[in-house]
Amino acid sequence: MNRTSIAWRPNWPALLWLVVAAALPPIPAQDQVSPPRPPNVLWIYVEDMNDWLGCYGDETVATPHLDALAARGTRFTRCYMPAGVCSPTRSAVITGCYQTTIGAHHHRSSRVDGDWNLLPSGTVTLPQALKAAMYHTFNLGKLDYNFAMPADVLYDVHRGGMNFDRAGDLTRLWQRSLDEQRPFFGQIQLRGGKNRPAKKVDRSAVRVPPYYPDCELVREEIAHHYDCIRKTDAEVGRILDELETDGLLANTVVFFFSDHGFRMHRHKQFLYDGGVRVPLLIAGPGVPKSKVRDDLVSGIDLAATTLSLMMPGAVLPDFMQGRNVFDAEFARDHVVSARDRCDFSIDRIRAVTTSRYRYLRNFLTDRPYMQSSYKDSWPVTKELRRMAQDGELDAIQMQFYGRERPREELYDLTDDPHEIHNLADDPAHRKALEHHRRLLDQWIRTTDDRGQQPESEAGMRAVLARWGDRCTNPEFGPVRERLAAERATLAKVLILGDSISMGYTPIVQSQLAKEAWVLRPKENCAGTTKGIAKIDDWLRLEGGDFDLIWFNFGLHDLKRVLPNGRNSNNADDGRQAEPEVYERQLRAITQKLKATGARLVFATTTPVPPGGVRPHRDVDDPERYNAIARRVMAEFEVEICDLYGFALARRKSIQPRVDVHFTKHGSRILGEHVAGEMRRSLAR
C-alpha cells in the first residue's frame, strides 16, 4: 500500500458536514443582493524562528513589514506551539488537535509503506473542511505532516519546494480564487531560520543567553538567526505587496507565525520558551487593530480561529481541541507542549505552561538532553560537547549539556525568563509543583496522550531503515534482533546509483519486503569518479556478501562541470567524466563488482528531457553513454535492464518537467518496474 492509495479514505464527521453547510452563505437569486463575501485567510508559516522582531521589542535588526503587520492587527506575546520540532507541530496545527491525540507525535513518522498513520475516525484537516465547503485552498512549500494525506486531497494548488526566491509570481496560487470569486485559505511556507542570508549583523553585538557559553560559534548562530529574520521580513513584504497588487489584501486575514524556535540546542526540539514560544501576528478584516494580547494561546488554536473567521457563527467540530482566540469567552489557564522521538533520538518530555510557571516532566531520565542528533556534525555542536568534556562550561550551562537530567523541572517565568533555576525541589514552590503535576496528569488522561505507548514496530523499523547505526537508544535493540532473524532468510540486494535510484529504492524495498533485504548507501553514489573512490566501502555495507547487485552510473558522468568540479549550465564546459574516462572507470567498477560473485544487473541511464536542464546535460548523451555501458557489460556478461527505454516510453506522465528527476508518481512507476526485474533476476 502507498500514500496515494490511502488518500481517499475520508471519514467526515456528520457534525462537520452540517457545520460547513450551515456556514455557507446561501446562493442568492438573480434579483437578490449577494451576502458579504467571507474573508480570505493566508497563513505565512515560518520555519525555525523566534520572536526576535522589532514589534516584540528587539531592535537588533529592522523588521518594518512585520512591525507594520502587527500595527494593523493583533500581536500575541504568549503563543506556544504543541511541539518544538516541525512535523508534530505542523500535524497538530493543521488539524487543531494535539499531535499526541492523533498519533502524529513522532517526528517524521508516516513516511514509508508499512508505517502509515491514518487520522482517527471523524478527524479532518482544516483545508479539507474548507475545500469541501468550496473554498479555494493552496499551499506553497513543505507539508511535513505525520499522517497519510496526499496534497491534492488538501489543496487545489500545491507547489512544493522551500526556495522562496524562486517562487515566481504568487498570483498563480490564488488565481482560481480571483477567477471564480471564491474566498481562499492559503499557506505560504518560508524557510525562516533555515535561510542562508548574507552576513550583516555584527557578531560581537548580539546578546548571548546564560545557558550558552559566550564563544565565537554561539555568537555566529545567534547573529545568523537575526540575519534570517531580516530576510524573512523582506519576504513577508513581498507577499503583502502581491496581495495588494491583486486587490486582495483588504479582504485577507494574514496570520504570521513560526513552527518552533531557532535551530540551536535547547531551542529547537525542546520545550523551553526558546523552543515553543513563537511570534504570532494576525491582521485583517474582523481582527482588532494595534492590540497586544498577553494571554496564553496554543498553536492548535490557529485552525479553530481560521475556521471561525471564514465561517462566522459556525460551531467548531467536536474533534477539534483548539479554540477561536477571538471568541469572547476564549481563555486558557495553561497550554501543553510535547517532545517525543526526534529523528533517531527517542525521548518523551511533557511541558505545562501557565501564566507564571513552566513545568516539565522528563519520562526518560536514563539519557541526557544532548543525545546524538542530526546536529552532531555542526561545528557549534562539536565545540559545545568539547567544552562540556573539558570542564569549560559553568553549572548553568551544564544543566543542558551534562550527562543527567531531573525527573521534574519547574521555572518561574516571571523571575527566571531564561529557565535556569529549577524550583522543583524548592519547598516554597511546592503547591505550584503539585498543581502543575495535576494539570499534566489530567491532560494526559483527557487527551489520550498516545506517547504513553511505545512507537509501533513498523515505525521503529522505518527509523532504523533511514538512520541505521545512528539509532543508539536501547529501544532499538529488540527490533534489530527481530530484523536480523528475518533478514537471515532473505536474499540480500545492494542498489548502487544516483538520485534516480534514491527515488525508487523505497518502493523497491516495499515491493520486495518479504523476498529480499534491499539496501543502498545513504549517500548519492553519483558518477563513476565517486564510484571508483567509494566502491570498496559500499561493498562492505551491512557485512557485504550480496546475492544481487543492481547498479547504474552515467547521469552524473555526462553532466557539465566547471574546472573546479562544480555544476555548470554551460554546454561548452566539459563533462564530469568524458566518454573515454567513463568507459575506463565503469569497467574498473564492474570488475570489482564481478569479483564479489553476486548476480549483477546494470540499469541504463534514464533520459534527459529537452528544454535545457540544469546543470547542463546533452539530450543525446544518455544513449551515447548507455552504448558504452552496454559494451562494457557485454564484456563481463552482466545482465542489463533498459530503464532508459522504459522511462522514455512513459516520459510524459512520469517526467513531465524539464528536469532529469521524476515525479513521486514517476519514482513509484520506476520502483515497481525495478522490483519486478529484480524478482525475475533473483529467481533465475
Side-chain angles (χ1 to χ4, degrees):
M1 186 167 8
N2 61 71
R3 201 182 189 100
T4 304
S5 67
I6 285 176
W8 273 110
R9 292 179 58 185
N11 193 341
W12 301 94
L15 174 61
L16 184 57
W17 278 113
L18 293 173
V19 168
V20 170
L24 285 173
I27 300 174
Q30 288 186 347
D31 59 348
Q32 291 179 318
V33 177
S34 298
R37 175 176 167 173
N40 309 305
V41 171
L42 176 65
W43 286 4
I44 302 178
Y45 205 155
V46 183
E47 292 197 276
D48 299 32
M49 204 174 97
N50 284 117
D51 60 356
W52 303 351
L53 314 175
C55 55
Y56 280 89
D58 191 327
E59 298 181 354
T60 304
V61 293
T63 53
H65 302 292
L66 289 167
D67 296 350
L69 186 67
R72 68 180 186 88
T74 298
R75 175 170 64 86
F76 295 81
T77 66
R78 300 196 70 186
C79 176
Y80 297 94
M81 282 299 165
V85 70
C86 47
S87 66
T89 283
R90 290 171 179 272
S91 303
V93 168
I94 203 65
T95 57
C97 301
Y98 285 109
Q99 71 278 11
T100 48
T101 298
I102 61 175
H105 49 300
H106 293 301
H107 184 37
R108 299 275 160 80
S109 53
S110 192
R111 304 301 167 111
V112 298
D113 288 353
D115 182 37
W116 298 127
N117 172 39
L118 301 179
L119 289 175
S121 177
T123 300
V124 295
T125 65
L126 174 64
Q128 278 179 290
L130 294 172
K131 189 177 180 186
M134 300 306 293
Y135 289 78
H136 174 59
T137 61
F138 66 80
N139 180 71
L140 173 65
K142 69 188 287 185
L143 299 180
D144 215 5
Y145 303 139
N146 293 335
F147 49 79
M149 192 75 66
D152 59 2
V153 175
L154 304 170
Y155 305 105
D156 296 305
V157 175
H158 169 63
R159 291 164 54 195
M162 290 295 290
N163 190 340
F164 189 71
D165 292 338
R166 296 183 180 178
D169 183 4
L170 300 182
T171 301
R172 291 180 295 171
L173 298 172
W174 51 70
Q175 186 65 56
R176 192 179 303 179
S177 173
L178 291 169
D179 294 343
E180 300 175 5
Q181 290 297 294
R182 288 193 287 153
F184 68 71
F185 166 69
Q187 296 168 258
I188 295 179
Q189 321 286 341
L190 299 180
R191 295 167 73 177
K194 292 182 178 178
N195 265 312
R196 297 178 179 177
K199 290 185 179 183
K200 293 191 176 181
V201 172
D202 181 357
R203 272 50 183 161
S204 67
V206 300
R207 295 179 298 275
V208 178
Y211 45 77
Y212 295 140
D214 190 345
C215 64
E216 181 181 352
L217 288 172
V218 168
R219 285 185 169 275
E220 175 62 34
E221 288 293 328
I222 295 171
H224 168 78
H225 193 60
Y226 279 114
D227 282 326
C228 289
I229 289 172
R230 176 179 44 78
K231 181 174 176 62
T232 299
D233 182 77
E235 293 171 341
V236 170
R238 174 186 163 191
I239 295 168
L240 298 179
D241 285 348
E242 294 209 28
L243 285 171
E244 179 72 36
T245 299
D246 289 341
L248 294 171
L249 186 59
N251 197 43
T252 299
V253 179
V254 177
F255 287 59
F256 174 88
F257 59 96
S258 173
D259 54 3
H260 52 75
F262 97 120
R263 68 187 188 182
M264 267 289 280
H265 324 112
R266 201 181 190 271
H267 282 235
K268 182 176 182 179
Q269 296 194 349
F270 286 89
L271 308 182
Y272 302 105
D273 238 41
V276 293
R277 185 168 62 83
V278 300
L280 173 60
L281 310 175
I282 306 178
V287 177
K289 295 182 179 180
S290 300
K291 187 174 180 62
V292 178
R293 294 259 302 262
D294 297 321
D295 53 325
L296 299 173
V297 170
S298 172
I300 65 171
D301 295 326
L302 301 184
T305 302
T306 298
L307 199 60
S308 298
L309 285 168
M310 300 190 78
M311 298 179 175
V315 178
L316 296 175
D318 284 344
F319 72 82
M320 193 171 279
Q321 296 164 319
R323 309 170 190 174
N324 173 17
V325 301
F326 296 118
D327 190 289
E329 298 180 358
F330 177 84
R332 285 189 177 277
D333 61 9
H334 69 281
V335 294
V336 178
S337 303
R339 167 176 161 91
D340 293 276
R341 178 181 55 73
C342 287
D343 299 317
F344 48 84
S345 298
I346 296 175
D347 208 343
R348 185 182 175 212
I349 308 175
R350 298 293 179 264
V352 177
T353 304
T354 56
S355 60
R356 179 178 175 183
Y357 291 98
R358 171 166 292 116
Y359 167 74
L360 298 101
R361 186 178 297 172
N362 294 296
F363 289 85
L364 300 177
T365 57
D366 63 328
R367 56 205 70 183
Y369 296 108
M370 277 285 288
Q371 298 189 68
S372 179
S373 79
Y374 76 96
K375 303 175 188 177
D376 286 349
S377 63
W378 294 7
V380 69
T381 304
K382 293 178 179 179
E383 176 64 2
L384 290 172
R385 289 193 188 279
R386 183 200 65 76
M387 293 178 75
Q389 179 69 30
D390 293 349
E392 297 179 21
L393 300 182
D394 63 29
I396 289 173
Q397 294 151 8
M398 284 299 290
Q399 290 174 3
F400 188 80
Y401 291 100
R403 299 299 304 169
E404 298 180 359
R405 58 169 135 173
R407 168 78 173 173
E408 294 178 298
E409 300 171 64
L410 182 69
Y411 300 101
D412 185 329
L413 299 177
T414 302
D415 295 338
D416 179 24
H418 290 301
E419 300 167 275
I420 56 178
H421 301 297
N422 184 5
L423 305 174
D425 295 328
D426 188 336
H429 296 271
R430 183 71 183 180
K431 286 186 178 180
L433 177 66
E434 292 175 349
H435 173 62
H436 287 75
R437 283 173 174 170
R438 288 192 296 270
L439 287 177
L440 180 57
D441 290 339
Q442 181 183 30
W443 178 86
I444 289 172
R445 289 193 304 271
T446 58
T447 66
D448 188 24
D449 179 359
R450 291 174 64 175
Q452 297 173 88
Q453 294 81 40
E455 188 167 6
S456 70
E457 177 83 8
M460 295 286 279
R461 289 181 179 224
V463 177
L464 279 168
R466 179 179 183 186
W467 295 104
D469 291 342
R470 302 191 74 178
C471 301
T472 58
N473 291 126
E475 292 87 349
F476 290 109
V479 183
R480 275 196 172 94
E481 291 175 2
R482 289 190 289 273
L483 276 170
E486 293 170 10
R487 288 168 173 170
T489 66
L490 303 176
K492 193 174 182 182
V493 176
L494 176 64
I495 295 178
L496 300 177
D498 51 36
S499 56
I500 306 302
S501 70
M502 293 175 79
Y504 64 65
T505 292
I507 288 74
V508 174
Q509 289 171 328
S510 175
Q511 294 273 315
L512 299 180
K514 296 182 179 180
E515 305 162 58
W517 177 18
V518 180
L519 56 157
R520 61 158 294 134
K522 298 293 184 185
E523 62 191 314
N524 186 332
C525 298
T528 55
T529 301
K530 183 175 182 179
I532 287 287
K534 301 283 290 187
I535 188 65
D536 290 332
D537 292 337
W538 295 337
L539 290 175
R540 287 192 291 267
L541 192 63
E542 295 289 350
D545 193 21
F546 300 100
D547 297 291
L548 173 67
I549 299 176
W550 177 280
F551 68 114
N552 163 261
F553 295 95
L555 197 59
H556 277 253
D557 294 273
L558 56 83
K559 72 178 179 180
R560 301 306 171 110
V561 294
L562 298 171
N564 63 6
R566 297 178 68 88
N567 291 341
S568 169
N569 300 319
N570 188 342
D572 294 332
D573 284 321
R575 298 171 178 83
Q576 187 181 82
E578 294 292 348
E580 62 276 11
V581 176
Y582 172 73
E583 181 169 357
R584 182 176 68 253
Q585 294 184 157
L586 181 62
R587 182 174 285 106
I589 291 170
T590 306
Q591 186 172 15
K592 286 234 176 188
L593 296 178
K594 192 73 174 180
T596 67
R599 178 180 290 274
L600 305 182
V601 179
F602 180 85
T604 55
T605 295
T606 49
V608 171
V613 300
R614 301 165 66 93
H616 181 82
R617 292 172 168 94
D618 289 352
V619 174
D620 295 334
D621 267 359
E623 289 187 278
R624 182 182 183 188
Y625 277 62
N626 284 334
I628 295 170
R630 290 180 187 279
R631 186 165 63 248
V632 173
M633 296 310 127
E635 292 177 20
F636 290 95
E637 298 182 335
V638 172
E639 182 182 345
I640 290 178
C641 171
D642 186 14
L643 210 55
Y644 173 88
F646 179 86
L648 186 66
R650 297 159 179 80
R651 189 166 67 190
K652 288 184 178 180
S653 63
I654 68 176
Q655 197 184 28
R657 302 164 297 189
V658 183
D659 189 342
V660 295
H661 300 98
F662 295 83
T663 62
K664 288 185 178 180
H665 168 70
S667 290
R668 174 160 293 279
I669 297 299
L670 290 178
E672 291 172 350
H673 176 67
V674 169
E677 292 298 304
M678 285 185 180
R679 186 176 287 117
R680 281 187 285 275
S681 184
L682 287 168
R684 292 192 181 98

